[in-house]
């Protein structure tokens, strides 16, 4: 007649949400297949050669940024939107898991799926000849923390305020746009001058820039880190303020 | 006898929704003074028409909605600020269920069980509620009654002291209904406080120890089923009979009663029926050569009580 400890509840819900995400075919396409296609396209086309480093050196960090968008933003946003529609959020919040446990479990699941994506993407990239500086691994992992935070918060904000059908449309469209011209795969510095200043302040560009700095030259891009953290805090607060549970 | 401290105590509960754009941004008052208490070892029913405020009352008592006024106590605490420990002592079955559609029943039940330090045995509970018969089906493909039984299992798996059931018999076939009702009776004996809403008078009559009638956001009447139905005079009865359609009604002979043909060939006489009235009816049948194919006399039901109060039908 009492609750399990918080860590047990959150870990268990994290596992549950991870399994749910991995069982969902559409989410797997978004999380693994599309980033793999992007990686393959980078490896076989000469587009990235103009940037002066090996193609995969510039391209792979962008694909990693895209993985964050897939899982934390689009995948989690859509799943949460439909959970909200079906009353699943209300139902789970009546158990000892509670609202905070529910959100923590979701973040944990995003982290677990992302870890799996990174293993698949990075292994493939290395097999294709990617040679990132090992000194860049830690800065890259640090950069992922506010990146996951900002995009999870954005996904939850949309899922918690729009109808699930609208969430589906908006997060998928945003994924395509941010993948193409959001500064993830294609560095914002190579984008047309007309849109570059706008793209520069987007969290997608900050994540792309930060990961590229880490995984091409092994440096920690503090500005991108600060920008991403700012997005995470502001959107996180907005999500807390406007998220509707039912 | 109920213990002195109630499991749920609500007094003067007020709940406003809004602002509503279609009403020029005004607030809507959904609850306007609901008071009730629910004790351990008893089934307490909230009875009312759709939209009367039953579910909103429950949601305030569960901590899913914040009360706009009045006080709400769940096991002596404010449910809106409930932490995990308070929630672990309360089982809730929501009206819409809220079960995730993509999972199978038993993994879901095990997942929920894992949120509690001492849950009920999942297999026992599943057997009891017949969940094994549809264990391989995902939630989205379950029938209404199957979902309902799974939702009840989820509400019970944590061994709660207080059980909230919002429309527990919705979508249940008669057999499932018996399983669920038997279990509810057993849980009452175990000492749980059970609070349920229903718009079905049968449910209230069969299950409830104590009934609150809610109408337009207020508790308008309360008592045991016996108290509520005995309240008015014993004379209040209803006679129904079936005969051929479109008979001229003997309204002149029974001026103090209401005689109507509620459907072709279905007649209803209601009001303070006396033995003499029955003789008048019988002689009218004799004069007109009518042999009714069925005659039934019923005493006052909860529905009559409800109709007296609200002038509206709940079914």
């Amino acid at each position: 007649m009492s609750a399990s400890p918080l860590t047990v509840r959150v870990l268990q819900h994290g596992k549950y949400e991870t399994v749910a995400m991995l069982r969902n075919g559409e989410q797997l396409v978004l999380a693994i297949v599309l980033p793999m296609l992007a990686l393959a396209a980078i490896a076989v086309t000469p587009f990235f050669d103009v940037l002066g480093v090996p193609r995969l050196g510039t391209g792979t960090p962008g694909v990693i940024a895209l993985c964050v968008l897939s899982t934390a933003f689009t995948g989690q946003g859509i799943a949460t939107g439909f959970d909200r529609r079906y009353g699943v959020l209300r139902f789970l919040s009546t158990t000892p898991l509670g609202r905070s446990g529910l959100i923590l479990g979701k973040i944990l699941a995003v982290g677990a799926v992302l870890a799996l994506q990174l293993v698949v993407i990075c292994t493939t990239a290395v097999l294709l000849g990617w040679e990132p500086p090992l000194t860049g691994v830690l800065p890259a992992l640090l950069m992922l923390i506010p990146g996951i935070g900002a995009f999870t918060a954005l996904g939850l904000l949309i899922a918690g305020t729009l109808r699930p059908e609208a969430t589906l449309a908006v997060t998928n469209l945003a994924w395509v746009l941010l993948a193409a011209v959001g500064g993830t795969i294609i560095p914002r510095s190579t984008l047309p001058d007309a849109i570059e200043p706008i793209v520069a302040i987007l969290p997608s560009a900050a994540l792309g820039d930060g990961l590229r700095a880490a995984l091409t030259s092994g440096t920690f891009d503090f500005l991108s880190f600060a920008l991403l953290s700012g997005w995470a805090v502001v959107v996180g607060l907005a999500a807390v303020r406007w998220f509707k549970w039912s | 006898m109920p213990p002195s401290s109630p499991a749920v105590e609500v007094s003067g509960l007020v709940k406003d929704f809004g602002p509503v754009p279609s009403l020029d941004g005004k607030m809507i008052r959904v609850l306007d003074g609901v008071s009730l208490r629910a004790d351990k070892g008893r089934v307490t029913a909230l009875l009312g028409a759709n939209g009367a405020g039953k579910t909103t009352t429950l949601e305030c008592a569960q901590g899913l909605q914040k009360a706009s006024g009045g006080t709400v106590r769940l096991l002596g605490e404010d449910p809106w600020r409930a932490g995990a420990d308070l929630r672990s002592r309360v089982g809730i079955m929501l009206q819409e269920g809220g079960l995730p559609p993509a999972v199978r029943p038993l993994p879901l039940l095990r997942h929920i069980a894992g949120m509690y330090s001492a849950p009920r045995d999942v297999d026992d509970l599943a057997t009891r509620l017949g969940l094994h018969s549809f264990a391989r089906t995902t939630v989205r493909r379950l029938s209404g009654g199957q979902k309902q039984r799974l939702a009840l299992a989820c509400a019970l798996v944590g061994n709660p002291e207080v059980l909230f059931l919002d429309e527990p018999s919705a979508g249940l076939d008669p057999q499932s209904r018996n399983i669920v009702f038997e279990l509810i009776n057993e849980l009452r004996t175990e000492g749980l406080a059970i609070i349920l809403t229903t718009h079905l008078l049968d449910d209230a009559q069969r299950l409830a120890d104590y009934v609150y009638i809610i109408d337009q956001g207020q508790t308008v009447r309360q008592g045991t089923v016996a108290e509520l139905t005995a309240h008015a005079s014993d004379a209040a009865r209803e006679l129904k009979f079936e005969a051929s359609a479109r008979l001229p009604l003997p309204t002149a002979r029974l001026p103090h009663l209401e005689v109507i043909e509620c459907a072709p060939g279905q007649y209803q006489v209601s009001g303070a029926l006396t033995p003499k009235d029955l003789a008048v009816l019988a002689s009218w049948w004799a004069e007109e050569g009518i042999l009714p194919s069925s005659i039934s006399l019923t005493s006052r039901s909860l529905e009559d009580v409800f109709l007296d109060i609200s002038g509206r039908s709940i079914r």
Side-chain angles (χ1 to χ4, degrees):
Chain A
M1 285 203 272
S2 68
S4 298
L6 179 67
T7 46
V8 173
R9 303 197 301 268
V10 169
L11 280 174
Q12 194 190 313
H13 193 63
K15 194 175 118 197
Y16 169 89
E17 293 263 356
T18 306
V19 171
M21 285 168 88
L22 294 177
R23 282 220 176 123
N24 185 322
E26 293 144 46
Q27 292 225 30
L28 278 184
V29 169
L30 194 65
I32 303 281
V33 178
L34 293 180
M36 285 288 269
L37 285 178
L39 191 66
I42 289 162
V44 299
T45 59
F47 179 82
F48 277 77
D49 292 355
V50 294
L51 297 166
V53 289
R55 295 169 189 175
L56 287 169
T58 320
T60 310
V63 176
I64 293 172
L66 193 62
C67 286
V68 174
L69 258 71
S70 294
T71 301
F73 175 65
T74 307
Q76 189 52 55
I78 293 170
T80 306
F82 280 98
D83 275 357
R84 181 171 151 246
R85 150 81 52 91
Y86 296 132
V88 178
L89 300 182
R90 274 159 58 84
F91 164 64
L92 289 174
S93 70
T94 66
T95 72
L97 182 64
R99 294 180 172 184
S100 51
L102 183 56
I103 298 290
L104 289 173
K106 278 186 183 292
I107 292 171
L108 205 63
V110 167
V113 173
L114 188 63
L116 190 74
Q117 288 171 287
L118 289 184
V119 169
V120 173
I121 294 294
C122 293
T123 307
T124 312
V126 168
L127 289 176
L128 291 171
W130 182 42
E131 290 175 335
L134 289 179
T135 50
V137 173
L138 189 63
L141 289 176
L142 277 178
M143 202 61 70
L144 284 176
I145 294 169
I148 293 172
F151 281 103
T152 304
L154 262 176
L156 289 176
L157 178 63
I158 293 171
T161 49
L162 301 183
R163 287 184 300 117
E165 293 81 4
T167 299
L168 184 89
V170 168
T171 56
N172 272 321
L173 184 65
W175 187 90
V176 172
L177 287 176
L178 295 178
V181 292
T184 48
I185 293 187
I186 304 166
R188 68 174 167 89
S189 51
T190 61
L191 291 172
D193 289 345
I195 60 168
E196 195 275 337
I198 303 161
V199 174
I201 58 164
L202 294 180
S204 51
L207 184 59
D209 287 351
L211 289 173
R212 265 186 296 276
L215 296 173
T216 54
S217 57
T219 52
F220 181 67
D221 178 355
F222 184 78
L223 197 66
S224 291
F225 184 84
L227 187 58
L228 269 180
S229 304
W231 273 98
V233 169
V234 171
V235 182
L237 289 174
V240 169
R241 170 74 182 78
W242 283 297
F243 191 92
K244 289 201 203 79
W245 289 82
S246 56
Chain B
M1 287 304 288
S4 54
S5 82
V8 178
E9 192 165 30
V10 171
S11 75
L13 175 61
V14 174
K15 178 67 191 174
D16 296 323
F17 281 121
V20 183
S22 58
L23 291 172
D24 300 331
K26 282 191 196 128
M27 307 291 281
I28 293 184
R29 181 148 291 190
V30 201
L31 299 180
D32 190 11
V34 171
S35 298
L36 58 92
R37 79 178 257 166
D39 290 297
K40 293 188 177 170
R42 294 181 112 187
V43 175
T44 306
L46 312 189
L47 183 66
N50 293 325
K54 304 184 297 288
T55 297
T56 309
T57 302
L58 275 203
E59 288 181 343
C60 290
Q62 294 159 345
L64 280 170
Q65 303 264 5
K66 192 176 194 296
S68 311
T71 57
V72 183
R73 283 284 171 276
L74 173 60
L75 293 166
E77 293 182 49
D78 176 1
W80 181 246
R81 295 169 195 286
D85 280 318
L86 180 57
R87 281 195 300 270
S88 74
R89 299 166 67 195
V90 179
I92 297 177
M93 184 170 121
L94 299 171
Q95 195 174 137
E96 297 291 323
L99 306 171
V103 295
R104 290 178 211 284
L106 294 179
L108 175 66
L109 191 53
R110 276 191 206 101
H111 178 51
I112 302 300
M115 300 294 158
Y116 302 86
S117 60
R120 274 177 193 259
D121 187 278
V122 167
D123 276 320
D124 281 357
L125 193 57
T127 306
R128 188 65 214 267
L129 283 164
L131 306 187
H132 290 298
S133 64
F134 49 86
R136 303 193 59 77
T137 315
T138 53
V139 167
R140 78 160 59 82
R141 298 188 192 287
L142 297 180
S143 73
Q146 290 170 334
K147 276 185 198 163
Q148 205 72 339
R149 282 189 270 159
L150 176 57
L152 179 59
C154 289
L156 277 176
V157 76
N159 245 329
E161 296 163 48
V162 182
L163 181 63
F164 287 100
L165 306 170
D166 200 354
E167 300 284 350
S169 59
L172 292 184
D173 57 63
Q175 198 188 347
S176 308
R177 208 168 143 214
N178 279 336
I179 296 175
V180 168
F181 281 20
E182 224 172 84
L183 185 59
I184 290 175
N185 277 323
E186 210 177 290
L187 294 165
R188 166 186 22 216
T189 315
E190 282 179 28
L192 270 76
I194 300 164
I195 300 115
L196 56 89
T197 66
T198 182
H199 63 283
L200 297 175
L201 297 147
D202 267 6
D203 285 10
Q205 232 146 359
R206 269 181 68 180
L207 284 173
D209 297 300
Y210 205 79
V211 177
Y212 290 90
I213 296 180
I214 298 192
D215 187 45
Q216 298 183 344
Q218 296 181 322
T219 28
V220 289
R221 210 50 93 69
Q222 66 185 71
T224 63
V225 173
E227 281 166 4
L228 286 173
T229 51
H231 209 62
S233 68
D234 282 339
R237 280 168 187 267
E238 189 177 80
L239 185 144
K240 287 182 179 174
F241 66 92
E242 283 180 57
S244 54
R246 286 184 299 281
L247 294 171
L249 299 173
T251 39
R253 300 189 194 196
L254 300 164
H256 59 293
L257 297 175
E258 188 190 21
V259 186
I260 55 165
E261 184 174 2
C262 41
Q266 311 260 357
Y267 299 87
Q268 188 176 311
V269 183
S270 43
L273 274 166
T274 62
K276 229 176 185 174
D277 295 327
L278 298 187
V280 172
L281 264 176
S283 58
W284 170 62
W285 286 332
E287 285 163 28
E288 301 285 329
I290 303 166
L291 183 64
S293 55
S294 80
I295 304 170
S296 72
L297 197 57
T298 52
S299 63
R300 188 177 163 82
S301 70
L302 262 183
E303 180 158 26
D304 301 321
V305 178
F306 191 83
L307 281 168
D308 287 351
I309 293 164
S310 65
R312 286 178 291 129
S313 174
I314 5 189
R315 267 186 196 267

